[in-house]
Amino acid sequence: MRLSRFFLPILKETPKEAEIVSHRLMLRAGMMRQEAAGIYSWLPLGIRVLKNIERIVREEQNRAGAIEVLMPTLQLADLWRESGRYDAYGPEMLRIQDRHKRELLYGPTNEEMITAIFRTFVKSYRSLPLNLYHIQWKFRDEQRPRFGVMRGREFLMKDAYSFDIDEEAARRSYNRMFVAYLRTFARMGLKAIPMRAETGPIGGDLSHEFIVLAETGESGVYCNSDVLDLPIPGEDVDYDGDLTPIVKQWTQPYAATEDVHDNALFESEVPNDKRIHTRGIEVGQIFYFGTKYSDAMKAMVNGPDGAERPIHGGSYGVGVSRLVGAIIEACHDENGIKWPEAVAPFRVSILNLKQDGAETGAACEELYKMLTAQGIDVLYDDTDQRPGGKFATADLIGVPWQILVGPKGLAEGKVELKRRADGSREMLSPADALARFTA
């Protein structure tokens, strides 16, 4: 993509309403525009990051055996009355009527709808286990939407729902998602720690939040520093095997959100020099809630003995749009964003430091053509900005690699390759620079 043809409305001044780093940088880098409190338009740079995060989430859900569906944003109020949650959910639910006075709601979550789908089509235990997921926009009418996409009203979420014949099988499904989440966040360059958490309005008695440690986080957290060094399961993890040892390894060191924190237990289990009490950003949460919804909504299957029994369920959420902000909170400096390569809007940017120079122009065009032909996402800054402005733009938007093409380097047959993550630089021939990305 040539920057001269890209829509990148960078702001020089930080809007006053932006209170935290991710909100400031997303607005300044032209990733989004606020349309109303907690509601944003995603602009081209932002949507590229959002789609990369969505792709990783989808790949890991598929690898773990979940099957994708797509449910609507609007749901019938009657479904929620069946489960007993329509009146209990609170003012965060947006309740509306259509022209025929039918009561609808803009879905804040999908347990009721997925249970209705399940009970319509699944009648036998032989169809289990089953895990269905979708990636869809949701709405929760937060009283104080703030911090940009970290606490918005409209947000993109992956939610999965498992169905099993009994508790033992349901806990195996829970463990699959636990491991899938470890892999998902690690692929995005994040260290997300699973912590014991309250189940809230979802219900049930087993839940873990996946927390990225950050002082700007809205959740107070306690953990043992040993959990920071645990290994992430590899691509060869067997989702059909026994995942209990992996889950046990990750849950044995003390880690809990503030709402379920047991100070006496924390002090007895965690040595002084390993205690961490800080804040964190929730990027995902998983739940086992047993037969809560199947009992209320009569979601039954025939068991091996031919008798009907309620299914055991779990739900598993990832804040896809929230992750954009969480990654920025974890990956930035005073100059801007430092995207991990897996989620970056572009992998490399080319900066022509003498826009009217024939030699630099030709070198940039050749690099751009060769990288693009290899399927590399490239942003070519071919604008007439001065070099200082190009450096500032490249650092602000956080593309992982920058190829700087200037007349002085070209006179020696070299271009400069800069790594955004640590600022390291090296001089390479254009061919060697290309090889770094096309090997």
Side-chain angles (χ1 to χ4, degrees), residues 51-308:
K51 290 297 182 183
N52 284 335
I53 291 172
E54 184 179 333
R55 171 182 51 79
I56 292 172
V57 170
R58 179 175 284 110
E59 288 172 357
E60 292 302 325
Q61 288 295 290
N62 293 345
R63 178 178 278 123
I67 302 168
E68 188 170 9
V69 297
L70 183 61
M71 291 174 275
T73 55
L74 294 180
Q75 303 182 32
L76 290 171
D78 286 345
L79 272 180
W80 283 65
R81 290 195 174 98
E82 279 191 60
S83 71
R85 287 208 300 172
Y86 185 70
D87 294 318
Y89 200 88
E92 289 79 22
M93 181 189 289
L94 181 62
R95 295 163 169 86
I96 56 181
Q97 288 186 342
D98 66 13
R99 66 172 65 193
H100 302 293
K101 306 301 180 184
R102 285 186 292 248
E103 291 180 291
L104 303 168
L105 57 100
Y106 194 126
T109 184
N110 279 75
E111 282 81 6
E112 284 79 4
M113 183 171 283
I114 199 70
T115 302
I117 291 172
F118 177 89
R119 72 184 179 187
T120 301
F121 298 109
V122 181
K123 305 300 181 184
S124 170
Y125 75 97
R126 292 186 178 86
S127 299
L128 306 180
L130 181 65
N131 189 318
L132 302 174
Y133 79 95
H134 75 159
I135 299 174
Q136 179 61 290
W137 291 96
K138 303 199 182 311
F139 188 90
R140 295 177 188 167
D141 199 3
E142 295 278 354
Q143 184 174 4
R144 291 186 63 213
R146 54 201 299 237
F147 302 152
V149 298
M150 299 289 287
R151 195 182 179 95
R153 293 195 292 165
E154 186 181 52
F155 54 94
L156 186 62
M157 182 176 175
K158 186 283 302 182
D159 39 328
Y161 303 91
S162 62
F163 302 89
D164 288 279
I165 190 64
D166 55 29
E167 181 175 346
E168 182 181 353
R171 288 181 182 270
R172 287 196 295 269
S173 293
Y174 186 94
N175 289 348
R176 287 190 194 96
M177 288 294 102
F178 188 105
V179 172
Y181 276 36
L182 292 175
R183 286 187 42 77
T184 297
F185 301 125
R187 283 187 59 188
M188 297 176 192
L190 294 175
K191 188 71 171 184
I193 302 169
M195 299 194 174
R196 290 185 295 111
E198 284 280 7
T199 58
I202 300 296
D205 61 358
L206 175 62
S207 179
H208 286 87
E209 286 185 13
F210 287 74
I211 301 285
V212 176
L213 301 185
E215 288 298 331
T216 52
E218 61 185 356
S219 303
V221 295
Y222 294 80
C223 70
N224 184 329
S225 61
D226 286 349
V227 77
L228 301 175
D229 299 318
L230 292 175
I232 301 296
E235 285 191 14
D236 59 348
V237 62
D238 180 9
Y239 281 106
D240 292 323
D242 183 9
L243 300 175
T244 306
I246 297 175
V247 175
K248 186 175 181 181
Q249 181 185 32
W250 275 89
T251 54
Q252 205 163 26
Y254 188 99
T257 56
E258 204 162 47
D259 52 4
V260 298
H261 167 63
D262 181 334
N263 195 56
L265 185 63
F266 182 64
E267 292 182 357
S268 67
E269 287 193 0
V270 184
N272 274 329
D273 61 343
K274 295 188 175 182
R275 293 176 190 168
I276 297 176
H277 177 208
T278 183
R279 304 197 69 76
I281 301 167
E282 178 202 340
V283 290
Q285 188 167 7
I286 61 178
F287 304 83
Y288 163 65
F289 44 69
T291 61
K292 174 180 177 177
Y293 297 94
S294 54
D295 284 338
M297 299 180 67
K298 302 296 186 290
M300 315 288 282
V301 295
N302 291 322
D305 57 1
E308 279 195 337

